[in-house]
Amino acid sequence: MKKGIHPESYRLVAFKDMSNEDIFITKSTVDTKETIVVEGVEYPLVKLEISRTSHPYYTGKSKLIDTAGRIDKFKNKYAKFKK
């Protein structure tokens, strides 16, 4: 590896999957202002929409999540083309 191009500020960070509330802790340099206490230890918190515990590729289950009414918006937009 080249010297001096990789960050030096790795620390333990908690990543939380907001779709199923799963939390995993790993090293990262990501900046965040939120924190969370896990097993009595406070970690910086990064919120994720999807992770390995909720992604259909890893779980083998297809799950439909309509976060902002996108399905209804799509159906309304293309309803005029129905025969």
Coordinates of all heavy atoms in Angstrom, one line a residue:
M1 N 0.8 -1.2 0.0 CA 0.0 0.0 0.0 C 0.9 1.2 0.0 O 2.0 1.3 0.6 CB -0.9 0.0 1.2 CG -2.0 -1.0 1.2 SD -3.2 -0.8 2.5 CE -2.3 -0.7 4.0
K2 N 0.4 2.3 -0.6 CA 1.1 3.6 -0.6 C 1.0 4.2 0.8 O 0.0 4.1 1.4 CB 0.5 4.5 -1.6 CG 0.7 4.1 -3.1 CD 0.2 5.2 -4.0 CE 0.5 4.8 -5.4 NZ -0.1 5.8 -6.4
K3 N 2.0 4.8 1.2 CA 2.1 5.5 2.5 C 1.4 6.9 2.4 O 1.4 7.5 1.4 CB 3.5 5.7 2.9 CG 4.3 4.4 3.0 CD 4.1 3.8 4.4 CE 5.0 2.6 4.5 NZ 4.5 1.6 5.2
G4 N 0.6 7.2 3.4 CA 0.1 8.6 3.5 C -1.2 8.8 2.8 O -1.7 9.9 2.8
I5 N -1.8 7.8 2.2 CA -3.1 8.1 1.4 C -4.3 7.5 2.2 O -5.4 7.8 1.8 CB -3.1 7.5 0.0 CG1 -2.9 6.0 0.0 CG2 -2.0 8.1 -0.8 CD1 -3.1 5.3 -1.3
H6 N -4.1 6.7 3.2 CA -5.2 6.1 4.0 C -5.4 6.9 5.3 O -4.5 7.3 5.9 CB -4.9 4.6 4.3 CG -4.8 3.8 3.0 ND1 -5.8 3.5 2.2 CD2 -3.7 3.4 2.4 CE1 -5.4 2.8 1.2 NE2 -4.1 2.7 1.2
P7 N -6.7 7.0 5.7 CA -7.0 7.8 6.9 C -6.4 7.1 8.1 O -6.3 5.8 8.2 CB -8.5 7.8 7.0 CG -9.0 6.9 5.9 CD -7.9 6.6 5.0
E8 N -6.1 7.8 9.1 CA -5.5 7.3 10.4 C -6.5 7.3 11.5 O -6.3 6.7 12.5 CB -4.3 8.2 10.8 CG -3.2 8.2 9.8 CD -2.4 6.9 9.8 OE1 -2.3 6.2 10.8 OE2 -1.8 6.6 8.7
S9 N -7.7 7.9 11.3 CA -8.7 8.1 12.3 C -9.8 7.1 12.4 O -10.9 7.4 12.6 CB -9.3 9.5 12.2 OG -10.0 9.6 11.0
Y10 N -9.4 5.8 12.3 CA -10.4 4.7 12.4 C -10.8 4.6 13.8 O -10.0 4.7 14.7 CB -9.8 3.4 11.9 CG -9.7 3.3 10.4 CD1 -8.5 3.4 9.8 CD2 -10.9 3.0 9.7 CE1 -8.4 3.3 8.4 CE2 -10.8 2.9 8.3 CZ -9.6 3.0 7.7 OH -9.5 2.9 6.3
R11 N -12.1 4.4 14.0 CA -12.7 4.2 15.4 C -13.9 3.3 15.2 O -14.4 3.1 14.1 CB -13.1 5.5 16.0 CG -14.3 6.2 15.3 CD -14.3 7.6 15.6 NE -15.5 8.3 15.2 CZ -15.9 8.5 13.9 NH1 -15.1 8.1 12.9 NH2 -17.0 9.1 13.6
L12 N -14.4 2.7 16.3 CA -15.5 1.9 16.3 C -16.8 2.7 16.1 O -17.0 3.7 16.8 CB -15.6 1.0 17.6 CG -14.6 -0.1 17.7 CD1 -14.8 -0.7 19.1 CD2 -14.7 -1.1 16.6
V13 N -17.6 2.3 15.2 CA -18.9 3.1 14.9 C -20.0 2.1 14.8 O -19.9 0.9 14.3 CB -18.7 3.8 13.5 CG1 -20.0 4.5 13.1 CG2 -17.6 4.8 13.5
A14 N -21.2 2.5 15.3 CA -22.4 1.6 15.3 C -23.2 2.0 14.0 O -23.5 3.2 13.8 CB -23.2 1.8 16.5
F15 N -23.5 1.0 13.2 CA -24.4 1.2 12.1 C -25.7 0.6 12.4 O -25.8 -0.6 12.8 CB -23.8 0.5 10.8 CG -22.6 1.3 10.3 CD1 -21.3 1.0 10.8 CD2 -22.7 2.2 9.3 CE1 -20.2 1.7 10.4 CE2 -21.6 2.9 8.8 CZ -20.3 2.6 9.3
K16 N -26.8 1.3 12.2 CA -28.2 0.8 12.5 C -29.0 0.8 11.3 O -29.2 1.8 10.6 CB -28.8 1.8 13.6 CG -30.2 1.3 14.0 CD -30.7 2.2 15.1 CE -32.0 1.7 15.6 NZ -32.6 2.6 16.7
D17 N -29.6 -0.4 11.0 CA -30.5 -0.6 9.9 C -31.9 -0.2 10.4 O -32.4 -0.8 11.3 CB -30.5 -2.1 9.5 CG -31.3 -2.4 8.3 OD1 -32.3 -1.6 8.0 OD2 -31.1 -3.4 7.6
M18 N -32.4 0.9 9.8 CA -33.7 1.5 10.2 C -34.9 0.6 9.8 O -35.9 0.8 10.4 CB -33.8 2.9 9.7 CG -32.7 3.8 10.2 SD -32.4 3.8 11.9 CE -33.9 4.7 12.5
S19 N -34.7 -0.3 8.9 CA -35.9 -1.1 8.5 C -36.1 -2.3 9.4 O -37.3 -2.7 9.5 CB -35.7 -1.6 7.0 OG -34.6 -2.5 7.0
N20 N -35.1 -2.7 10.1 CA -35.3 -3.8 11.1 C -34.6 -3.6 12.4 O -34.6 -4.6 13.2 CB -34.9 -5.2 10.5 CG -33.4 -5.2 10.2 OD1 -32.6 -4.4 10.5 ND2 -33.0 -6.3 9.5
E21 N -34.1 -2.5 12.7 CA -33.5 -2.1 13.9 C -32.2 -2.9 14.3 O -31.8 -2.9 15.4 CB -34.5 -2.2 15.1 CG -35.8 -1.3 14.9 CD -35.5 0.1 14.8 OE1 -34.7 0.6 15.7 OE2 -36.1 0.8 14.0
D22 N -31.6 -3.6 13.3 CA -30.4 -4.3 13.6 C -29.2 -3.3 13.7 O -29.1 -2.3 13.0 CB -30.1 -5.3 12.4 CG -28.8 -6.1 12.6 OD1 -28.7 -6.7 13.7 OD2 -28.0 -6.1 11.7
I23 N -28.3 -3.6 14.7 CA -27.2 -2.7 14.9 C -25.9 -3.6 14.8 O -25.9 -4.7 15.4 CB -27.2 -2.1 16.3 CG1 -28.4 -1.2 16.4 CG2 -26.0 -1.3 16.6 CD1 -28.7 -0.6 17.8
F24 N -24.9 -3.1 14.0 CA -23.6 -3.8 14.0 C -22.5 -2.7 14.2 O -22.7 -1.6 13.8 CB -23.5 -4.6 12.7 CG -23.5 -3.9 11.4 CD1 -22.4 -3.4 10.8 CD2 -24.7 -3.6 10.8 CE1 -22.4 -2.7 9.6 CE2 -24.8 -2.9 9.6 CZ -23.6 -2.5 9.0
I25 N -21.5 -3.2 14.8 CA -20.4 -2.3 15.1 C -19.1 -2.7 14.3 O -18.8 -3.9 14.3 CB -20.1 -2.3 16.6 CG1 -21.3 -1.8 17.3 CG2 -18.9 -1.4 17.0 CD1 -21.3 -2.0 18.8
T26 N -18.5 -1.7 13.7 CA -17.3 -2.0 12.9 C -16.4 -0.7 12.9 O -16.9 0.4 13.3 CB -17.6 -2.4 11.5 OG1 -16.4 -2.8 10.8 CG2 -18.3 -1.3 10.7
K27 N -15.2 -0.8 12.4 CA -14.3 0.4 12.4 C -14.7 1.2 11.1 O -15.0 0.6 10.1 CB -12.9 -0.1 12.3 CG -12.3 -0.6 13.6 CD -10.9 -0.9 13.5 CE -10.3 -1.3 14.8 NZ -8.9 -1.5 14.8
S28 N -14.6 2.5 11.3 CA -14.9 3.4 10.2 C -14.4 4.8 10.5 O -14.0 5.1 11.6 CB -16.5 3.5 10.0 OG -16.8 4.4 9.0
T29 N -14.3 5.6 9.5 CA -13.8 7.0 9.6 C -15.0 8.0 9.3 O -14.8 9.2 9.3 CB -12.7 7.3 8.6 OG1 -13.2 7.1 7.3 CG2 -11.5 6.5 8.8
V30 N -16.2 7.5 9.1 CA -17.3 8.3 8.8 C -17.6 9.3 9.9 O -17.5 9.1 11.1 CB -18.6 7.4 8.6 CG1 -19.1 6.7 9.8 CG2 -19.7 8.2 7.9
D31 N -18.0 10.5 9.5 CA -18.3 11.6 10.4 C -19.8 11.5 10.7 O -20.6 11.4 9.8 CB -18.0 13.0 9.8 CG -16.5 13.2 9.7 OD1 -15.8 12.8 10.6 OD2 -16.1 13.9 8.7
T32 N -20.2 11.7 12.0 CA -21.6 11.7 12.4 C -21.7 12.4 13.7 O -20.8 12.5 14.5 CB -22.1 10.2 12.6 OG1 -23.5 10.3 13.0 CG2 -21.3 9.4 13.6
K33 N -22.8 13.0 13.9 CA -23.1 13.8 15.1 C -23.9 13.0 16.2 O -24.0 13.4 17.3 CB -23.8 15.1 14.8 CG -22.9 16.0 13.9 CD -23.5 17.4 13.8 CE -22.8 18.3 12.9 NZ -21.4 18.3 12.8
E34 N -24.6 12.0 15.7 CA -25.4 11.2 16.6 C -24.6 10.1 17.3 O -23.6 9.6 16.7 CB -26.6 10.5 15.8 CG -27.5 11.5 15.2 CD -28.6 10.8 14.4 OE1 -29.6 10.4 15.1 OE2 -28.5 10.7 13.2
T35 N -25.1 9.7 18.5 CA -24.5 8.6 19.2 C -25.5 7.6 19.7 O -26.7 7.9 19.7 CB -23.6 9.1 20.4 OG1 -24.5 9.8 21.3 CG2 -22.5 10.0 20.0
I36 N -25.1 6.4 20.0 CA -26.0 5.4 20.6 C -25.2 4.6 21.6 O -24.0 4.4 21.5 CB -26.5 4.5 19.5 CG1 -27.7 3.6 20.0 CG2 -25.4 3.7 18.8 CD1 -28.4 2.9 18.9
V37 N -25.9 4.1 22.6 CA -25.3 3.3 23.6 C -25.6 1.8 23.4 O -26.8 1.5 23.3 CB -25.7 3.7 25.1 CG1 -25.1 2.7 26.1 CG2 -25.3 5.1 25.4
V38 N -24.6 1.0 23.2 CA -24.8 -0.4 22.9 C -24.0 -1.2 24.0 O -22.8 -1.0 24.1 CB -24.3 -0.8 21.5 CG1 -24.5 -2.3 21.3 CG2 -25.0 0.0 20.4
E39 N -24.7 -2.0 24.8 CA -24.1 -2.8 25.8 C -23.3 -1.9 26.8 O -22.2 -2.3 27.2 CB -23.3 -3.9 25.3 CG -24.2 -4.9 24.5 CD -23.4 -6.0 23.9 OE1 -22.1 -6.1 24.0 OE2 -24.0 -6.9 23.2
G40 N -23.8 -0.7 27.1 CA -23.1 0.2 28.0 C -22.0 1.0 27.5 O -21.3 1.7 28.2
V41 N -21.7 0.9 26.2 CA -20.6 1.7 25.6 C -21.3 2.6 24.5 O -22.1 2.2 23.7 CB -19.6 0.7 24.9 CG1 -18.5 1.5 24.2 CG2 -19.1 -0.3 25.8
E42 N -20.8 3.9 24.5 CA -21.4 4.9 23.6 C -20.5 4.9 22.3 O -19.3 4.9 22.3 CB -21.3 6.2 24.2 CG -22.0 7.3 23.4 CD -22.1 8.6 24.1 OE1 -21.5 8.8 25.1 OE2 -22.8 9.5 23.6
Y43 N -21.2 4.8 21.2 CA -20.6 4.8 19.8 C -21.2 5.9 19.0 O -22.4 6.2 19.1 CB -20.8 3.4 19.1 CG -20.3 2.2 19.8 CD1 -21.1 1.4 20.6 CD2 -18.9 1.9 19.7 CE1 -20.5 0.3 21.2 CE2 -18.4 0.8 20.3 CZ -19.2 0.0 21.1 OH -18.7 -1.1 21.7
P44 N -20.4 6.4 18.0 CA -21.0 7.2 17.0 C -22.0 6.4 16.2 O -21.8 5.2 16.0 CB -19.8 7.7 16.1 CG -18.6 7.4 16.9 CD -19.0 6.3 17.9
L45 N -23.1 7.0 15.7 CA -24.2 6.3 15.1 C -24.4 6.7 13.6 O -24.4 7.9 13.3 CB -25.5 6.5 15.8 CG -26.8 5.9 15.1 CD1 -26.7 4.4 15.1 CD2 -28.0 6.4 15.8
V46 N -24.4 5.7 12.7 CA -24.8 5.9 11.3 C -26.0 5.2 11.0 O -26.1 4.0 11.3 CB -23.6 5.5 10.4 CG1 -24.0 5.7 8.9 CG2 -22.4 6.3 10.7
K47 N -27.1 5.8 10.5 CA -28.3 5.2 10.2 C -28.3 4.8 8.7 O -28.0 5.5 7.8 CB -29.5 6.1 10.4 CG -29.6 6.5 11.9 CD -30.8 7.4 12.1 CE -30.9 7.7 13.6 NZ -32.0 8.7 13.8
L48 N -28.7 3.5 8.5 CA -28.8 2.9 7.1 C -30.2 2.6 6.8 O -31.0 2.2 7.6 CB -28.0 1.6 7.1 CG -26.5 1.7 7.5 CD1 -25.9 0.3 7.6 CD2 -25.7 2.6 6.5
E49 N -30.6 2.7 5.5 CA -31.9 2.3 5.1 C -32.0 0.8 4.8 O -33.0 0.2 5.0 CB -32.3 3.0 3.8 CG -32.6 4.5 4.0 CD -33.0 5.1 2.7 OE1 -33.7 4.4 1.8 OE2 -32.8 6.3 2.5
I50 N -30.8 0.2 4.5 CA -30.8 -1.2 4.2 C -29.4 -1.7 4.5 O -28.4 -1.0 4.4 CB -31.2 -1.5 2.7 CG1 -31.5 -2.9 2.5 CG2 -30.1 -1.0 1.8 CD1 -32.3 -3.2 1.2
S51 N -29.3 -3.0 5.0 CA -28.0 -3.6 5.3 C -28.1 -5.1 4.9 O -29.1 -5.5 4.4 CB -27.7 -3.4 6.8 OG -28.5 -4.2 7.6
R52 N -27.1 -5.8 5.3 CA -27.0 -7.2 5.0 C -28.2 -8.0 5.7 O -28.5 -9.1 5.2 CB -25.7 -7.8 5.4 CG -25.5 -7.9 6.9 CD -24.1 -8.2 7.3 NE -23.9 -8.6 8.7 CZ -24.1 -7.8 9.7 NH1 -24.6 -6.6 9.5 NH2 -23.9 -8.2 10.9
T53 N -28.7 -7.5 6.8 CA -29.8 -8.2 7.5 C -31.2 -7.9 6.9 O -32.1 -8.6 7.3 CB -29.8 -7.9 9.0 OG1 -30.0 -6.5 9.1 CG2 -28.5 -8.3 9.6
S54 N -31.3 -7.0 6.0 CA -32.6 -6.7 5.4 C -32.6 -6.7 3.9 O -33.7 -6.6 3.3 CB -33.1 -5.3 5.9 OG -32.2 -4.3 5.5
H55 N -31.4 -6.8 3.2 CA -31.4 -6.8 1.8 C -31.8 -8.1 1.2 O -31.4 -9.2 1.7 CB -30.0 -6.5 1.3 CG -29.9 -6.1 -0.1 ND1 -29.9 -7.1 -1.1 CD2 -29.8 -4.9 -0.8 CE1 -29.8 -6.5 -2.3 NE2 -29.7 -5.2 -2.1
P56 N -32.7 -8.1 0.2 CA -33.3 -9.4 -0.3 C -32.2 -10.3 -0.9 O -32.3 -11.5 -0.8 CB -34.2 -8.9 -1.5 CG -34.5 -7.5 -1.1 CD -33.4 -7.0 -0.4
Y57 N -31.1 -9.8 -1.4 CA -30.0 -10.6 -1.9 C -29.4 -11.5 -0.8 O -29.2 -12.7 -1.0 CB -28.9 -9.8 -2.5 CG -27.8 -10.6 -3.0 CD1 -27.8 -11.2 -4.3 CD2 -26.6 -10.8 -2.3 CE1 -26.8 -12.0 -4.8 CE2 -25.6 -11.6 -2.8 CZ -25.7 -12.2 -4.0 OH -24.6 -12.9 -4.5
Y58 N -29.3 -11.0 0.4 CA -28.7 -11.7 1.5 C -29.7 -12.5 2.3 O -29.4 -13.6 2.8 CB -27.9 -10.8 2.5 CG -26.8 -10.1 1.8 CD1 -26.8 -8.8 1.5 CD2 -25.6 -10.8 1.5 CE1 -25.8 -8.1 0.9 CE2 -24.5 -10.2 0.9 CZ -24.6 -8.8 0.6 OH -23.6 -8.2 0.0
T59 N -30.9 -12.0 2.4 CA -31.9 -12.7 3.2 C -32.7 -13.8 2.4 O -33.3 -14.7 3.0 CB -33.0 -11.7 3.7 OG1 -33.7 -11.1 2.6 CG2 -32.3 -10.7 4.6
G60 N -32.7 -13.6 1.0 CA -33.5 -14.6 0.2 C -34.9 -14.3 0.2 O -35.7 -15.1 -0.4
K61 N -35.4 -13.2 0.8 CA -36.8 -12.8 0.9 C -37.0 -11.5 0.2 O -36.2 -10.6 0.4 CB -37.2 -12.7 2.3 CG -37.1 -14.0 3.1 CD -37.4 -13.7 4.6 CE -37.2 -15.0 5.4 NZ -37.3 -14.8 6.8
S62 N -38.0 -11.4 -0.6 CA -38.4 -10.2 -1.3 C -39.3 -9.4 -0.4 O -40.3 -10.0 0.1 CB -39.0 -10.5 -2.6 OG -39.3 -9.2 -3.3
K63 N -39.0 -8.2 -0.1 CA -39.8 -7.4 0.8 C -40.1 -6.0 0.1 O -39.1 -5.4 -0.4 CB -39.1 -7.2 2.1 CG -40.0 -6.5 3.2 CD -39.4 -6.7 4.6 CE -38.1 -5.9 4.8 NZ -37.7 -5.9 6.1
L64 N -41.3 -5.6 0.0 CA -41.7 -4.3 -0.6 C -41.8 -3.3 0.5 O -42.6 -3.4 1.4 CB -43.0 -4.5 -1.3 CG -43.5 -3.3 -2.1 CD1 -42.5 -2.9 -3.2 CD2 -44.9 -3.5 -2.7
I65 N -41.0 -2.2 0.4 CA -41.1 -1.1 1.3 C -41.4 0.2 0.5 O -40.6 0.6 -0.3 CB -39.7 -0.9 2.1 CG1 -39.4 -2.2 2.9 CG2 -39.8 0.3 3.0 CD1 -38.0 -2.2 3.5
D66 N -42.6 0.7 0.8 CA -43.0 2.0 0.1 C -42.7 3.1 1.0 O -43.6 3.4 1.9 CB -44.4 1.8 -0.3 CG -44.9 3.0 -1.2 OD1 -44.0 3.8 -1.7 OD2 -46.1 3.2 -1.3
T67 N -41.6 3.8 0.9 CA -41.2 4.8 1.9 C -41.9 6.1 1.7 O -42.0 6.9 2.6 CB -39.7 5.0 1.9 OG1 -39.3 5.3 0.6 CG2 -39.0 3.7 2.4
A68 N -42.3 6.5 0.5 CA -42.8 7.8 0.3 C -44.0 7.8 -0.7 O -44.3 8.7 -1.4 CB -41.7 8.7 -0.3
G69 N -44.8 6.7 -0.7 CA -45.9 6.6 -1.5 C -45.6 6.5 -3.0 O -46.3 6.9 -3.9
R70 N -44.4 6.0 -3.3 CA -43.9 5.9 -4.7 C -44.7 5.0 -5.5 O -44.9 5.3 -6.7 CB -42.4 5.5 -4.7 CG -41.5 6.5 -4.2 CD -40.1 6.1 -4.3 NE -39.7 5.5 -3.0 CZ -38.6 4.9 -2.8 NH1 -37.8 4.6 -3.8 NH2 -38.3 4.4 -1.6
I71 N -45.3 3.9 -5.0 CA -46.1 3.0 -5.7 C -47.4 3.6 -6.2 O -47.8 3.6 -7.3 CB -46.3 1.7 -4.9 CG1 -45.0 1.0 -4.7 CG2 -47.3 0.8 -5.7 CD1 -45.1 -0.2 -3.8
D72 N -48.0 4.3 -5.2 CA -49.3 5.0 -5.5 C -49.0 6.1 -6.6 O -49.8 6.3 -7.5 CB -49.9 5.6 -4.3 CG -50.4 4.5 -3.3 OD1 -50.8 3.4 -3.8 OD2 -50.5 4.8 -2.1
K73 N -48.0 6.8 -6.4 CA -47.6 7.9 -7.3 C -47.4 7.3 -8.8 O -47.9 7.9 -9.7 CB -46.3 8.6 -6.9 CG -46.0 9.9 -7.5 CD -44.8 10.5 -6.8 CE -44.3 11.7 -7.5 NZ -43.1 12.3 -6.8
F74 N -46.7 6.2 -8.8 CA -46.5 5.5 -10.1 C -47.8 5.1 -10.8 O -48.1 5.3 -11.9 CB -45.6 4.3 -10.0 CG -45.3 3.6 -11.2 CD1 -44.4 4.0 -12.1 CD2 -46.1 2.4 -11.5 CE1 -44.1 3.2 -13.3 CE2 -45.9 1.7 -12.6 CZ -44.9 2.1 -13.5
K75 N -48.7 4.4 -10.0 CA -49.9 3.9 -10.5 C -50.8 5.1 -10.9 O -51.5 5.0 -12.0 CB -50.7 3.1 -9.4 CG -50.1 1.8 -9.1 CD -50.8 1.0 -8.0 CE -50.2 -0.3 -7.8 NZ -50.9 -1.0 -6.7
N76 N -50.9 6.2 -10.2 CA -51.7 7.3 -10.6 C -51.1 7.9 -11.9 O -51.9 8.4 -12.8 CB -51.7 8.4 -9.5 CG -52.5 8.0 -8.3 OD1 -53.4 7.1 -8.4 ND2 -52.2 8.5 -7.2
K77 N -49.8 8.0 -12.1 CA -49.2 8.6 -13.2 C -49.5 7.8 -14.5 O -49.8 8.4 -15.6 CB -47.7 8.7 -13.0 CG -47.0 9.3 -14.2 CD -45.5 9.5 -13.8 CE -44.7 10.1 -14.9 NZ -43.3 10.2 -14.6
Y78 N -49.5 6.5 -14.4 CA -49.7 5.6 -15.6 C -51.1 5.0 -15.7 O -51.4 4.2 -16.6 CB -48.6 4.5 -15.6 CG -47.3 5.2 -15.9 CD1 -46.4 5.4 -14.8 CD2 -46.9 5.5 -17.1 CE1 -45.1 5.9 -15.1 CE2 -45.7 6.1 -17.4 CZ -44.8 6.3 -16.4 OH -43.6 6.9 -16.6
A79 N -52.0 5.4 -14.8 CA -53.4 4.9 -14.9 C -54.1 5.3 -16.2 O -54.9 4.6 -16.7 CB -54.2 5.4 -13.7
K80 N -53.7 6.5 -16.7 CA -54.4 7.0 -18.0 C -54.0 6.1 -19.2 O -54.7 6.2 -20.2 CB -54.0 8.4 -18.2 CG -52.5 8.7 -18.4 CD -52.2 10.1 -18.5 CE -50.7 10.3 -18.5 NZ -50.3 11.7 -18.4
F81 N -53.0 5.3 -19.1 CA -52.6 4.4 -20.2 C -53.2 3.0 -20.2 O -53.0 2.3 -21.1 CB -51.1 4.3 -20.2 CG -50.3 5.6 -20.5 CD1 -49.6 6.1 -19.5 CD2 -50.4 6.2 -21.7 CE1 -48.9 7.3 -19.7 CE2 -49.8 7.4 -21.9 CZ -49.0 8.0 -20.9
K82 N -54.0 2.8 -19.1 CA -54.7 1.5 -19.0 C -55.7 1.3 -20.1 O -56.4 2.3 -20.5 CB -55.4 1.3 -17.6 CG -54.5 0.7 -16.6 CD -55.4 0.5 -15.4 CE -54.6 -0.3 -14.3 NZ -55.4 -0.5 -13.1
K83 N -55.9 0.1 -20.5 CA -56.9 -0.1 -21.6 C -58.2 -0.6 -21.0 O -58.3 -1.2 -20.0 CB -56.4 -1.2 -22.6 CG -55.3 -0.6 -23.4 CD -54.9 -1.6 -24.4 CE -53.8 -1.1 -25.3 NZ -53.4 -2.0 -26.3

